[in-house]
């Protein structure tokens, strides 16, 4: 196939949702050349995912809507082609792989697409083996998808789309819920796919620290338009501070470090994309940084008693024994604690036991004096709230108002009392005005705040959040954390299960690390990150700024304090910056 045949071309494109009069996407012009690897970034609800669905033909042919201009993929116009016709030209992998699986077993999932395209049996079997090998899942043909880790599921999703052999592969936040090892594995797999097969890749992401070194081009969207595109270094130089402050995006931490070191007055040689480049930029300022104040560890509130006590807990599933093995730790009342560890280490299982949805095989879990093994679920729910990794998984009603009232109706409260609590909670999470909307119509940031609100409205002592920043842009993640800190100051204990290094470095007072069902570390963030090599886990990424500090130390620079974030460096230099 010729070079022209496999390109993705978006020309003067606009899109309007059904029942709307104003275009949501406006004046989009974009060409992805064969073999090009591009990343698309932008704030929540800016149109990234909508554009992806337009590129694959779901809009307007399946989901409706009106368009202007055109999108052509592999020589086909998406407006006049069916999704089946486009399947060999362009494929899409969604953020939540479970949402696109149709079968129980991996082999069946990979064969499903080619079967619907009427590919002959021998060719289907060849493709199943080929793409399982490509994503490092050789021999997994008869494994059940439900038994896989998050990273393995995402690789199966990629392989199942690749089995239809499209020219262009679009991935919508494929690493949002993976640990650092899983992210790196997916990025390496995609890069190898791009380099060895010449497939074009369009990757939609929020956090691009690890991704930036792989991509050829960075595309920035805002308010339904493409506002900038080009080589990553050039875009960050032109738009970096605007992307963070005005657009509310996650900017690579080494680039944020540049803003702190230069006061925003950067030149091309002062916009690092790697630890080594950032170290060269920081070296001339070492003396000034020595005199600055490094971030001290967050206070460990040992004067407070424990609100959560985990004592020698063991647990296993019928198909997977020894998920938890003698786990013991405490969470202090009024603290902000992070629970970290690789996918499959037992974090989510342990959190489900804290809210009484699972019971220990042995050992005890006590929340605010309540034994979760013995107490009824209603009593446990009065003490602890649980916010799921995917907000949609916990929504059960048709309006935001009813969603908040749902958990209060069984508490014997009057309609006026329920109304007052709902109103107060909506104000707390800034969702006033959305009362009559269906929860599924909210943006990702709004869904996350609603999921927190559904727990908060019951006034729990403890709030547990599973991957609270997953799928959020920087503005929404920061806004969410500001809400959680206000709750914490009011006495709510926060336990967040997260892979996001920045959240732990910036907000956590204490960290507990799980590895293969056991506690591998318990202490403050600074102790964790400075001694990461001695801890038995590959699932935690050292903060980029600390990597820069350690690089300088190894190159002979002495007396340099430990900094965990670019904000710490800015504070030490007296260049306090206001974030989005």
């Amino acid at each position: 196939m010729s070079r022209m045949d496999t390109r993705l071309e978006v020309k003067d494109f606009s899109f309007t949702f059904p029942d709307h009069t104003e275009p949501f996407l406006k004046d989009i012009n974009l060409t992805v050349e064969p073999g090009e690897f591009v990343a698309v970034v932008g704030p929540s609800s800016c149109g990234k995912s909508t554009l992806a669905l337009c590129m694959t033909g779901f809009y307007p042919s399946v989901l409706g809507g009106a368009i202007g201009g055109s999108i052509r993929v592999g020589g086909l116009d998406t407006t006049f082609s069916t999704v089946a016709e486009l399947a060999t030209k362009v494929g899409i992998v969604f953020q939540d792989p479970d949402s696109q699986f149709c079968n129980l077993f991996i082999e069946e999932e990979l064969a499903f697409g080619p079967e619907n395209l009427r590919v002959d049996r021998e060719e289907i079997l060849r493709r199943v083996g080929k793409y399982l090998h490509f994503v490092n899942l050789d021999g997994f043909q008869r494994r059940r998808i439900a038994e896989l880790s998050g990273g393995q599921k995402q690789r199966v999703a990629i392989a199942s789309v690749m089995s239809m052999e499209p020219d262009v592969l679009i991935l919508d936040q494929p690493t949002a819920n993976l640990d650092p090892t899983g992210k790196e594995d997916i990025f390496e797999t995609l890069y190898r796919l791009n380099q060895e097969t010449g497939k074009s890749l369009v990757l939609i992401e929020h956090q691009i620290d690890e991704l930036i070194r792989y991509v050829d081009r960075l595309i920035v969207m805002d308010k339904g338009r493409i506002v900038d595109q080009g080589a990553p270094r050039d875009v960050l130089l032109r738009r970096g501070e605007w992307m963070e402050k005005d657009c509310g995006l996650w900017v690579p931490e080494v680039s944020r470090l540049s803003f702190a070191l230069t006061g925003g007055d950067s030149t091309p040689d002062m916009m690092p994309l790697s630890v080594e480049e950032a170290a060269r930029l920081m070296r001339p300022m070492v003396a000034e940084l020595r005199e600055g104040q490094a971030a001290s560890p967050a206070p460990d509130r040992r004067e407070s008693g424990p609100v959560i006590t985990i004592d020698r807990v063991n647990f296993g599933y019928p198909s997977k024994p020894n998920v938890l093995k003698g786990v013991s730790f405490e969470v202090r009342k009024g603290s902000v604690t992070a629970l970290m560890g690789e996918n499959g280490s037992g974090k989510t299982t342990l959190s489900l036991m804290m809210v009484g949805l699972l019971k220990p095989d042995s050992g005890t879990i006590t929340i605010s004096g309540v034994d979760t093994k013995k107490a009824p679920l209603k009593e446990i729910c009065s003490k602890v709230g649980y916010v799921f990794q995917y907000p949609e998984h916990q929504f059960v009603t048709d309006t935001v108002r009813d969603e908040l009232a749902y958990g209060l109706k069984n508490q014997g409260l009057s309609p006026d009392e329920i109304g007052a609590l709902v109103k107060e909670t909506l104000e707390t999470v800034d969702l006033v005005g959305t009362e009559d909307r269906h929860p599924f119509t909210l943006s990702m940031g709004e869904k996350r705040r609603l999921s927190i609100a559904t727990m908060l409205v019951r006034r729990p002592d403890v709030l547990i959040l599973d991957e609270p920043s997953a799928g959020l842009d920087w503005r929404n993640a920061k806004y969410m954390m500001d809400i959680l800190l206000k709750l914490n100051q009011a006495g709510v204990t926060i336990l967040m299960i997260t892979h996001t290094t920045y959240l732990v470095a910036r907000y956590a007072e204490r960290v507990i690390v799980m590895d293969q069902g056991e506690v591998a570390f318990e202490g403050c963030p600074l102790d964790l990150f400075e001694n990461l090599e001695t801890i038995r886990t590959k699932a935690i990424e050292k903060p980029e700024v600390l990597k820069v500090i350690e690089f300088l130390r190894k190159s002979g620079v002495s007396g340099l304090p430990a900094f965990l974030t670019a904000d710490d460096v800015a504070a030490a230099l007296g260049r306090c910056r206001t974030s989005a």
Side-chain angles (χ1 to χ4, degrees), residues 429-431 445-453 476 479 483:
V429 299
D430 193 23
L431 286 176
E446 290 169 335
K447 287 176 183 176
R448 178 60 69 187
R449 298 205 301 276
L450 177 58
S451 66
I452 293 172
N476 276 297
Y479 189 37
I483 290 172

Side-chain angles (χ1 to χ4, degrees), residues 87-295:
T88 60
K89 304 296 182 182
V90 58
I92 187 167
V93 178
F94 296 101
Q95 176 181 338
D96 179 3
D98 288 321
S99 68
Q100 69 186 78
F101 292 144
C102 304
N103 298 276
L104 295 176
F105 296 93
I106 292 175
E107 182 179 45
E108 295 169 352
E109 188 64 33
L110 266 69
F112 185 76
E115 285 174 344
N116 281 276
L117 296 174
R118 298 184 178 182
V119 176
D120 69 68
R121 184 176 184 278
E122 292 303 316
E123 175 62 14
I124 289 175
L125 292 175
R126 185 192 70 81
R127 291 187 188 184
V128 168
K130 175 182 178 180
Y131 291 108
L132 281 180
H133 173 75
F134 204 93
V135 298
N136 298 316
L137 291 176
D138 289 295
F140 275 58
Q141 279 87 337
R142 298 307 300 165
R143 288 278 296 274
R144 287 181 176 271
I145 294 174
E147 296 174 352
L148 303 180
S149 69
Q152 289 172 330
K153 285 182 178 179
Q154 199 60 273
R155 281 186 278 157
V156 169
I158 292 171
S160 66
V161 174
M162 287 309 302
S163 69
M164 291 181 280
E165 301 198 333
D167 300 318
V168 180
L169 181 61
I170 301 171
L171 303 103
D172 194 351
Q173 298 191 71
T175 67
N177 303 300
L178 302 183
D179 59 44
T181 302
K183 283 187 177 182
E184 185 67 22
D185 190 24
I186 293 298
F187 289 149
E188 287 286 351
T189 297
L190 293 174
Y191 182 69
R192 188 160 55 89
L193 177 68
N194 171 252
Q195 294 296 301
E196 294 182 12
T197 69
K199 303 291 184 184
S200 302
L201 300 183
V202 179
L203 192 63
I204 298 169
E205 274 288 358
H206 277 307
Q207 299 182 36
I208 58 173
D209 289 71
E210 298 90 354
L211 176 63
I212 200 74
R213 68 178 183 270
Y214 294 105
V215 300
D216 303 309
R217 186 157 41 118
L218 187 61
I219 298 168
V220 184
M221 291 188 65
D222 187 33
K223 299 177 182 177
R225 301 177 186 270
I226 292 177
V227 296
D228 205 347
Q229 59 180 302
R233 193 187 308 274
D234 296 339
V235 172
L236 289 169
L237 185 65
R238 289 192 299 265
R239 295 276 190 170
E241 288 207 274
W242 173 85
M243 287 167 64
E244 180 189 28
K245 289 183 176 181
D246 298 331
C247 210
L249 303 184
W250 293 94
V251 173
E253 194 69 2
V254 290
S255 301
R256 297 185 74 239
L257 182 60
S258 170
F259 308 152
L261 295 172
T262 66
D265 187 19
S266 298
T267 59
D269 62 335
M270 301 175 75
M271 179 50 65
L273 297 181
S274 68
V275 167
E276 293 78 5
E277 292 174 352
R280 286 198 296 270
L281 183 62
M282 183 181 281
R283 186 181 288 273
M285 302 180 189
V286 164
E288 191 177 354
L289 286 168
R290 285 193 185 117
E291 297 174 1
Q293 180 63 48

